[in-house]
Amino acid sequence: MGSRVLFTTVAIIGLAGCSRENGVHTVAAADRTPASSPVVSAEPAPDPEPREAPPPAARVEPRAQPAFLIPSGTRVRVRLAQTLDTKYSRPGTTFGATLADPIVVGNQVVVPRGTPFTGSVVESKRSGRFRGRARLEITLRTFRMKGVTYHLATVPDTRVSGSHKKRNLGLVGGGSAVGAGIGALAAGGTGALIGAGAGAAAGTTTAFFTGRKNVTLPVETPMVFRMRSSVAVRRS
């Protein structure tokens, strides 16, 4: 029995010794772990705080140069680029013209000489054969400069033909006198009366065929128009 107790005691002491060796070995292994080893976390890193996008830079528009203002009442002197005639120019017909004198505002030439203008016929009326006068009324509508078309309104220029009265009296009276002279030579006093009547009829016929009077404005005719309203013209 004593040997059993002795064996049990030796076994217990052996187990205790193994435990101490294992503990020392474990601690030593732990001591060999570097103290500065980083700790790796399994959690994802938080996203950085979103930043607001900077506002877009303000766009700087170039300053528009103030326009030249041609005031109302300004006189526009042009020369016709074509012939106008009441015989064939009807209302609404357009025509061309060229600026004869530059348009100046202050000391600045705003519209140079030679600038093309366009106009239109406002009224065109032929005269009668015995009475009535021919009438031609025209105005300017636009001009074009540096690729830009400007609209304007001008006071119309009106031209009227002369009167028929003196001309008709001369034709009829002259015809009567010539007819009377021829009749007197042919048949005395009676012939003079007959000749006067025939001459008057001939004079009237002449007036009928030649009595119309037209208003004609040949090419290069100088014209002056007055502006009814102001016009703004871009600076170059």
Side-chain angles (χ1 to χ4, degrees):
M1 182 169 181
S3 60
R4 288 183 178 179
V5 172
L6 178 62
F7 176 78
T8 303
T9 302
V10 173
I12 293 172
I13 293 172
L15 292 173
C18 290
S19 298
R20 284 197 300 271
E21 289 178 1
N22 292 336
V24 172
H25 178 75
T26 303
V27 172
D31 291 341
R32 286 197 298 270
T33 303
S36 59
S37 297
V39 178
V40 179
S41 176
E43 296 181 0
D47 293 333
E49 294 183 1
R51 295 182 180 179
E52 294 183 359
R59 184 177 179 181
V60 179
E61 296 288 345
R63 288 187 177 181
Q65 294 291 333
F68 288 110
L69 189 67
I70 305 175
S72 61
T74 299
R75 295 187 180 277
V76 182
R77 302 178 184 275
V78 300
R79 289 185 178 275
L80 295 181
Q82 64 196 71
T83 299
L84 298 176
D85 195 311
T86 52
K87 186 176 181 179
Y88 55 80
S89 299
R90 303 270 65 85
T93 300
T94 59
F95 63 89
T98 303
L99 188 64
D101 295 328
I103 299 177
V104 179
V105 176
N107 296 323
Q108 182 72 38
V109 174
V110 177
V111 185
R113 179 181 178 181
T115 298
F117 279 69
T118 60
S120 65
V121 176
V122 179
E123 182 180 359
S124 178
K125 180 182 178 183
R126 301 175 65 178
S127 72
R129 297 188 185 278
F130 294 99
R131 59 184 177 181
R133 299 186 180 189
R135 179 185 178 91
L136 182 64
E137 186 174 318
I138 63 176
T139 189
L140 295 179
R141 299 294 188 189
T142 66
F143 66 92
R144 187 168 179 81
M145 183 176 63
K146 297 178 181 179
V148 180
T149 300
Y150 298 91
H151 295 265
L152 73 161
T154 63
V155 177
D157 183 287
T158 304
R159 305 293 175 95
V160 180
S161 66
S163 173
H164 288 76
K165 187 174 182 180
K166 291 182 180 180
R167 183 171 183 275
N168 290 342
L169 288 176
L171 288 173
V172 175
S176 298
V178 172
I182 295 174
L185 292 174
T190 304
L193 293 176
I194 297 173
T204 303
T205 303
T206 302
F208 177 79
F209 283 111
T210 63
R212 290 191 183 278
K213 289 188 175 183
N214 295 312
V215 174
T216 302
L217 299 177
V219 63
E220 291 295 324
T221 298
M223 310 284 294
V224 181
F225 296 87
R226 184 168 57 84
M227 291 175 54
R228 278 181 166 174
S229 57
S230 59
V231 176
V233 177
R234 297 179 186 176
R235 292 177 182 263
S236 57

